[in-house]
Amino acid sequence: MLRLQGEMIRGGTSKCWIFDHHDVVATGVDADTLLLAAYNAADPRQIDGVGGASSTTSKAAIVRTSTKPGIDVEYAFAQVGIGDERVEWASNCGNCATAVALYAVHNGLVPITSDSTTVRMLNVNTRARLTGTIPTPGRMAFDEGTAAVPGTAALGVPVLLGFEDPAGSTTGRTLPTGHAVDTLTGPVGGIEVSLVDAGAPAALFEAKAFGLQGTESLAEFAAAVPTLTTLRRQAALAMGLAKENDPVSHAVPKVGVVARPAAYRTTDGTPVGPDDYDLAVRMVSMHAPHPAIGLTSAVALATAAATPGTLAHRVARQTADGTLRLGTPAGVITARAVPAAQGASPTVLLHRAARRIARAELLVPVLEGRPA
Amino acid sequence: MLRLQGEMIRGGTSKCWIFDHHDVVATGVDADTLLLAAYNAADPRQIDGVGGASSTTSKAAIVRTSTKPGIDVEYAFAQVGIGDERVEWASNCGNCATAVALYAVHNGLVPITSDSTTVRMLNVNTRARLTGTIPTPGRMAFDEGTAAVPGTAALGVPVLLGFEDPAGSTTGRTLPTGHAVDTLTGPVGGIEVSLVDAGAPAALFEAKAFGLQGTESLAEFAAAVPTLTTLRRQAALAMGLAKENDPVSHAVPKVGVVARPAAYRTTDGTPVGPDDYDLAVRMVSMHAPHPAIGLTSAVALATAAATPGTLAHRVARQTADGTLRLGTPAGVITARAVPAAQGASPTVLLHRAARRIARAELLVPVLEGRPA
C-alpha cells in the first residue's frame, strides 16, 4: 500500500484533490496508475477510493514550483475516470486552478509578501497561464472566507482568477476560421455559429436558432442538447480541432447558446432580472446541460462578446469597463476583460472562492505497479 | 474553522468516516453540527465537504473505548443527510461496524495479543453487540488484504463480522407478533408475511406473491417496490414499531422477498447456479431495490431461515451447520448462525472486508456553533 499526501480542496463548484509532484514521483509509480488506484476509478461508485463518483468530484491536480520566468507554480490537471480506468489529461479546469492557488499560498509554494498574494500558474496540459490572487492580510494565509460562487451556498476564501492572454490558446487565433460568424448545417438548414478560441475553443449559437430564449431551465434546455452535440462535431472540424477520421470528442469544443438578457429563475428558484446581467448563456457539458458554466467557457464568452461581429457581441449588453455578467442556470457569473501589456489579449478575471476541506495521507492500493 | 482528525475507511460496500469520540468532544460543538458541516449535508452534491453525496458514502461512526464488561469499543453510527441538514442516529450499519473494527485494531483501541484480534463492539444507537475479527499475524495490523465482498471488485483486509444475540434486538422477540406467518392486506387481497426481528426488524414475503422468482435484476424487481413500501407501513404497525399517527418510516422495517434458489445473473453479469446458494432474496432500500443486501437484513434472513414456520424457512435450502448462502443481485453473501452460550440467540457471522482509504485532518466550517 503506497502512501501519498494530498489536500481535498473545493474550488468554486468542484472538489479537487491536490498533490505535490515530488510526492507523486516518490511513490515510484506513474501518475495514471496512482490516481486510478487512489480514486478507485474502475468502480462507477468509486467506493474504494477518494473520488466522489461524479465529474465535478473526480478531479486532481499535481503541482510543483516552476523555474520558468513569470511562473510560480505548474500544475497538471487530471479528470479521473468513473467506472472507467482512464485518466484524461487533455483539458484545463478553472475551478481546480482556484484550488491550486489556495494550496500554493498555504503550502509555501509562493512567498507571502503583502496583504494580497498572486500565484502565477501554468497549466501544463494546455499551456494556459493563469493567476490566482488571494487576500493575505498581515501576510497570513487564511482557511476561512466569506466569498461565494453561483452553484453552491458554501463560503470560502476569495480567489480572483485570471486567464492570461487567453485568445487563441488552442489554435493560435481568436477566430480559428478567420470569420466572426460561420454557417454549419443544422437540422433544418444552415445555422449561424461563432467559433471562438479563448480559454477553450467554443462554438456559440444564438438561442433563437433553436427556438429558445437562452434563459431556459436545465430541463427545458436539455431538448436542444442532442442537436448541439451533433453540431459540436462540425465545429471541431471547421476549427481544425479534429480531422474527418478522428474519433468524436464529447468535450471539445465547448458548445452553447447565447441571447439577450431577460428575466428568469435560477435552478434554486432565485429570480434574475434583465438588468442583473449582460448576456444569457446555456452551455452543454458532455451530453447534458451544464448546471452553470465552465470557467474556460466563461473566458470564451467574455472574449467573444468583446469581439465585434460575433453572435455573442451581437446580443450582449456592451459595458464600458470590460465587465460581462453572464446569466447562467446557477446564477450570474461576472467576467472582466482587462487590457494586457505587450500585445497579449486581454486578461479575463473571474471572482471565485475556494476552501480547504481536508489534509490527508492517502493509502493507495497499487500492487506490482498496477491498481490492485 | 475547526480541525478534526478522521479516517476514511471502506467497510464492505460502504465508505465511512471514523472519528474518535474525544476528538469530537474537543471541538466544543455537538456531533450533529460537526457532521452536517464536515459533510456539507445542506448541499445535494456535498461539494464543500467530505461526504460522497450518496447514501453509502455519507456515513460516519464516532468511536470510543468502552468500560462496559465484555465490550472493547462503543460506536455511534450516523447517516448524514444529502441535501438535508439532518443526521439520522436511529440505525446500525454492519458495513461501518466492519470499518470500526479495522480502525480499532490500527489505532490501539484493542490490544493485539495473537495472530487474530477480535474487537467486541457495542452499537450505541441500537444497543446491538457485534464482533469484528481481523487477522493480525505476528501481532501486526495490516493495511492490505485479499478479501472481497459482492458489490465491489476492490480487495481489503478480511473482517469476520459477528452479530451477537441478534434475535429480538429491537422488539425483544424474534417473532414480534408471536406468529411465524402473518397476513397483511396486499393490492389484491391478503398476503402472507413473516415478521422477524433479528439484527433489524424485517418483513419478508414470498417472491411468488408478487409474481416474481426472487432472482430478478434490479430493474425487474423495481416494479414490486411501490407495493412493498406500502406493505412496510402495515408491517411496522403489526410489529409495534410504529403507531397509527406516527410519521411513516421509509427505513423500518426492512422489506423484501425470498424464494427457492434458481439460476440467475448478478448485476455485473456473473452467472449464479441454483446450487451456488440456499435462498434467493431481493430487498428494498428506502424506495429502491437494494443493490445487494444490508448486513442487518442478512442477519434477519439467517434467523428467519432457521426459524421453523417462517416463509424464509419454507423456501430456504436447509444446511446442517447453520450456513446460509444468500443469493443477492450483487452475488452470494454467506451468513452462518453459530450457537451462543447462556441462552442467547445464535451469533450470525458474515465474511466481510475493509480497507483504510485515507487518514485526514478535516477543516470543518462551523461558525457560532452552526454549520457555516
Side-chain angles (χ1 to χ4, degrees):
Chain A
M1 199 74 68
L2 299 176
R3 309 274 168 150
L4 178 65
Q5 286 295 126
E7 286 199 16
M8 181 196 279
I9 303 182
R10 175 176 65 84
T13 49
S14 290
K15 197 148 56 174
C16 311
W17 279 93
I18 313 288
F19 304 104
D20 186 287
H21 172 75
H22 300 101
D23 291 339
V24 170
V25 170
T27 65
V29 297
D30 65 279
D32 285 69
T33 300
L34 198 64
L35 293 176
L36 292 173
Y39 282 64
N40 192 205
D43 180 356
R45 298 198 301 138
Q46 297 187 332
I47 199 75
D48 196 49
V50 298
S54 74
S55 62
T56 52
T57 59
S58 189
K59 298 182 167 191
I62 300 174
V63 309
R64 63 192 300 182
T65 53
S66 180
T67 56
K68 293 188 172 65
I71 300 292
D72 300 307
V73 172
E74 301 175 21
Y75 72 92
F77 168 68
Q79 183 75 47
V80 183
I82 302 168
D84 178 9
E85 287 197 276
R86 282 186 293 191
V87 180
E88 196 262 291
W89 298 98
S91 59
N92 186 16
C93 171
N95 276 325
C96 284
T98 311
V100 167
L102 187 63
Y103 177 91
V105 166
H106 273 283
N107 288 277
L109 274 62
V110 289
I112 301 178
T113 58
S114 69
D115 286 353
S116 169
T117 300
T118 295
V119 185
R120 298 168 301 175
M121 298 176 279
L122 174 68
N123 172 247
V124 300
N125 313 78
T126 64
R127 314 308 295 174
R129 291 168 57 141
L130 303 93
T131 53
T133 301
I134 296 176
T136 47
R139 301 190 183 182
M140 299 267 287
F142 287 85
D143 287 321
E144 290 180 49
T146 56
V149 300
T152 170
L155 303 180
V157 175
V159 180
L160 181 64
L161 188 68
F163 288 78
E164 305 283 320
D165 191 16
S169 46
T170 301
T171 64
R173 303 169 75 182
T174 308
L175 301 173
T177 63
H179 312 123
V181 175
D182 287 277
T183 302
L184 302 179
T185 306
V188 289
I191 185 166
E192 283 189 319
V193 65
S194 287
L195 302 172
V196 179
D197 175 18
L204 304 172
F205 302 85
E206 276 204 80
K208 67 182 183 188
F210 297 83
L212 300 174
Q213 304 291 322
T215 52
E216 281 74 16
S217 70
L218 296 175
E220 291 163 346
F221 178 53
V225 169
T227 303
L228 282 164
T229 56
T230 303
L231 290 164
R232 177 161 53 201
R233 175 61 171 179
Q234 290 183 46
L237 296 171
M239 297 172 87
L241 300 167
K243 295 195 177 67
E244 278 293 350
N245 295 322
D246 289 349
V248 172
S249 167
H250 304 298
V252 179
K254 313 286 188 187
V255 292
V257 303
V258 295
R260 296 187 190 283
Y264 72 101
R265 283 187 182 272
T266 65
T267 303
D268 72 4
T270 307
V272 179
D275 295 331
D276 294 338
Y277 68 106
D278 305 312
L279 179 64
V281 56
R282 294 293 180 271
M283 298 297 295
V284 176
S285 174
M286 306 295 281
H287 296 288
H290 195 296
I293 186 170
L295 299 190
T296 55
S297 295
V299 172
L301 264 294
T303 301
T307 303
T310 68
L311 302 178
H313 186 271
R314 190 184 292 174
V315 296
R317 179 183 293 120
Q318 295 298 316
T319 58
D321 65 350
T323 296
L324 182 74
R325 296 169 300 168
L326 298 164
T328 83
V332 175
I333 292 174
T334 300
R336 189 160 156 251
V338 297
Q342 297 169 319
S345 60
T347 300
V348 176
L349 296 171
L350 297 156
H351 287 276
R352 305 299 292 170
R355 193 180 79 79
R356 299 163 91 200
I357 297 171
R359 304 174 62 188
E361 179 185 62
L362 279 58
L363 287 76
V364 187
V366 175
L367 293 175
E368 297 167 4
R370 304 195 54 240
Chain B
M1 200 75 66
L2 299 176
R3 308 274 168 148
L4 177 65
Q5 286 295 126
E7 287 199 15
M8 182 196 279
I9 303 182
R10 176 177 65 84
T13 50
S14 291
K15 198 148 55 174
C16 311
W17 279 94
I18 313 288
F19 304 104
D20 186 287
H21 171 75
H22 300 101
D23 291 338
V24 170
V25 170
T27 64
V29 297
D30 65 278
D32 285 69
T33 300
L34 198 65
L35 293 175
L36 292 174
Y39 282 64
N40 192 205
D43 181 354
R45 299 197 301 137
Q46 298 187 332
I47 200 74
D48 195 49
V50 298
S54 74
S55 62
T56 52
T57 59
S58 189
K59 298 181 167 193
I62 300 174
V63 309
R64 63 193 298 182
T65 54
S66 180
T67 56
K68 293 188 172 65
I71 301 291
D72 300 308
V73 172
E74 301 175 20
Y75 72 93
F77 167 68
Q79 182 74 48
V80 184
I82 302 167
D84 178 9
E85 287 197 274
R86 282 187 293 192
V87 180
E88 196 263 290
W89 297 99
S91 60
N92 186 17
C93 170
N95 277 326
C96 284
T98 311
V100 168
L102 187 63
Y103 177 92
V105 166
H106 274 283
N107 288 277
L109 276 60
V110 289
I112 301 178
T113 58
S114 71
D115 286 353
S116 168
T117 300
T118 295
V119 185
R120 298 168 300 174
M121 297 177 280
L122 174 68
N123 171 247
V124 300
N125 313 78
T126 63
R127 315 308 297 174
R129 293 170 58 141
L130 302 93
T131 54
T133 301
I134 296 176
T136 47
R139 301 190 183 183
M140 299 267 288
F142 286 85
D143 287 320
E144 290 181 48
T146 57
V149 300
T152 171
L155 303 178
V157 174
V159 180
L160 182 64
L161 189 67
F163 288 78
E164 306 283 320
D165 192 15
S169 45
T170 301
T171 65
R173 303 168 76 181
T174 309
L175 302 172
T177 64
H179 311 123
V181 175
D182 288 277
T183 302
L184 302 178
T185 305
V188 288
I191 185 166
E192 283 190 319
V193 65
S194 286
L195 303 172
V196 179
D197 175 17
L204 304 171
F205 301 85
E206 276 204 80
K208 67 181 181 187
F210 297 83
L212 300 174
Q213 304 290 323
T215 53
E216 281 75 15
S217 70
L218 296 175
E220 291 164 346
F221 177 52
V225 169
T227 303
L228 282 163
T229 56
T230 303
L231 289 164
R232 176 161 53 202
R233 174 61 172 180
Q234 290 184 45
L237 296 171
M239 298 171 88
L241 300 168
K243 295 195 177 67
E244 279 294 350
N245 296 322
D246 289 348
V248 173
S249 168
H250 304 299
V252 179
K254 312 285 188 188
V255 292
V257 302
V258 296
R260 296 186 191 283
Y264 73 101
R265 283 185 181 272
T266 65
T267 303
D268 72 3
T270 307
V272 180
D275 295 331
D276 294 337
Y277 68 106
D278 306 311
L279 179 64
V281 56
R282 294 293 180 271
M283 298 297 294
V284 176
S285 173
M286 305 295 282
H287 296 288
H290 195 296
I293 186 170
L295 300 190
T296 55
S297 295
V299 172
L301 264 294
T303 302
T307 303
T310 69
L311 301 179
H313 186 270
R314 192 184 291 174
V315 296
R317 180 183 292 122
Q318 296 298 317
T319 59
D321 64 351
T323 296
L324 182 74
R325 296 168 301 167
L326 297 165
T328 83
V332 175
I333 292 175
T334 301
R336 188 158 157 254
V338 298
Q342 298 169 319
S345 59
T347 300
V348 176
L349 296 171
L350 297 156
H351 287 275
R352 306 299 292 171
R355 192 180 80 79
R356 298 164 91 200
I357 297 172
R359 304 174 63 188
E361 178 186 62
L362 279 58
L363 286 76
V364 187
V366 175
L367 293 175
E368 297 167 4
R370 305 193 55 241

